[in-house]
Amino acid sequence: MRLNWDETVAGVSMLAVRDCLKKTTMPVSQAYVAELIGEAFDADAFIAELVERGWWEITGKDTVENTLTGNAVARAKKLKPMPRVEAEELLKRVLEAVDEINTSSLHSYRVTRLAVFGSYLSDSSDLGDLDIAYELEGVWTTETWDEVRKRTLEAFPPPQSANKMRRLCWPEEVLLKKVALNKRVSLEAFSTLEMYGWPHKILLDIGDDKDG
């Protein structure tokens, strides 16, 4: 997601707003928000503006939480502008990575839908990052799940420090790391794209075609 880093929200810098949203992915008290932004700022005005922007929602009497858009803001990266020609080359590499994933027998998932959205669809010659929406589908059945997952873990071993939950999710994590080639690529679930009706361009849609 591309932000105007020179902009402020109720006097709070956009970088500080981004860092605040990183800590509000779960419901937090409005008193905690005041602590996050500091006494020099008006917490009520800050909360009201983030709610108006659709980045926060009121989830209780005195609590707020990120919306899906707010979570996207929390993941925004402050990067130097990327020339469009560089973004086009990066998109080409993403598509190549997806093709490699979908033709490999080592992954537990395949990419069924892929779209580009955000600043790439604008006429701007400089972009912030490359926004990609994805949808995955498991390539196993109930009977083959253990075998497929074992094959993936042997091909792409998780770090030794990985706990049980991360090991369980590792097949998906390792695939998404291959799609997100570098910090310029921002990934978003396709369901989020559809929920908000964000304009996008379909790059891949293999739907129920099991032969890809």
Side-chain angles (χ1 to χ4, degrees):
M1 184 172 188
R2 189 175 187 181
L3 299 175
N4 179 359
W5 296 103
D6 295 326
E7 191 179 4
T8 61
V9 175
V12 180
S13 72
M14 190 58 70
L15 185 60
V17 171
R18 190 277 311 269
D19 291 344
C20 178
L21 288 169
K22 286 183 176 181
K23 299 177 181 179
T24 57
T25 56
M26 300 290 286
V28 301
S29 69
Q30 295 185 21
Y32 180 60
V33 171
E35 292 180 17
L36 288 176
I37 64 175
E39 296 180 356
F41 303 100
D42 184 336
D44 289 339
F46 181 74
I47 292 169
E49 185 165 344
L50 286 191
V51 170
E52 183 178 353
R53 287 171 178 253
W55 296 357
W56 267 349
E57 61 182 347
I58 305 296
T59 55
K61 182 178 179 181
D62 295 305
T63 59
V64 296
E65 181 182 3
N66 289 2
T67 61
L68 290 175
T69 303
N71 285 334
V73 174
R75 295 193 298 271
K77 306 161 189 171
K78 188 176 182 181
L79 302 170
K80 292 182 179 179
M82 173 173 54
R84 178 168 290 277
V85 64
E86 183 179 332
E88 291 173 348
E89 178 60 29
L90 185 56
L91 180 58
K92 179 181 177 182
R93 290 171 55 201
V94 167
L95 290 171
E96 290 173 349
V98 169
D99 184 63
E100 180 180 339
I101 289 166
N102 283 355
T103 55
S104 170
S105 62
L106 300 178
H107 287 284
S108 300
Y109 296 87
R110 67 172 184 165
V111 182
T112 54
R113 286 200 290 177
L114 204 71
V116 61
F117 64 103
S119 58
Y120 188 88
L121 300 184
S122 71
D123 295 327
S124 176
S125 58
D126 292 316
L127 312 178
D129 55 8
L130 183 63
D131 295 304
I132 297 291
Y134 68 90
E135 183 177 78
L136 305 182
E137 178 184 70
V139 297
W140 67 86
T141 63
T142 304
E143 292 75 18
T144 63
W145 159 244
D146 287 335
E147 176 188 345
V148 171
R149 181 172 176 275
K150 180 181 179 181
R151 186 166 62 232
T152 299
L153 293 177
E154 289 177 348
F156 312 106
Q160 292 185 352
S161 60
N163 58 25
K164 184 177 181 180
M165 180 58 68
R166 191 178 183 194
R167 288 181 63 86
L168 182 65
C169 300
W170 184 252
E172 180 176 347
E173 181 178 338
V174 74
L175 182 152
L176 294 179
K177 284 183 176 180
K178 287 180 174 292
V179 177
L181 298 169
N182 59 40
K183 62 183 180 181
R184 288 287 189 178
V185 179
S186 295
L187 298 180
E188 191 69 66
F190 212 101
S191 57
T192 302
L193 200 70
E194 294 179 321
M195 179 178 295
Y196 284 96
W198 291 336
H200 58 278
K201 178 181 179 182
I202 297 292
L203 304 171
L204 173 72
D205 188 353
I206 58 179
D208 295 326
D209 178 8
K210 300 302 181 184
D211 295 327

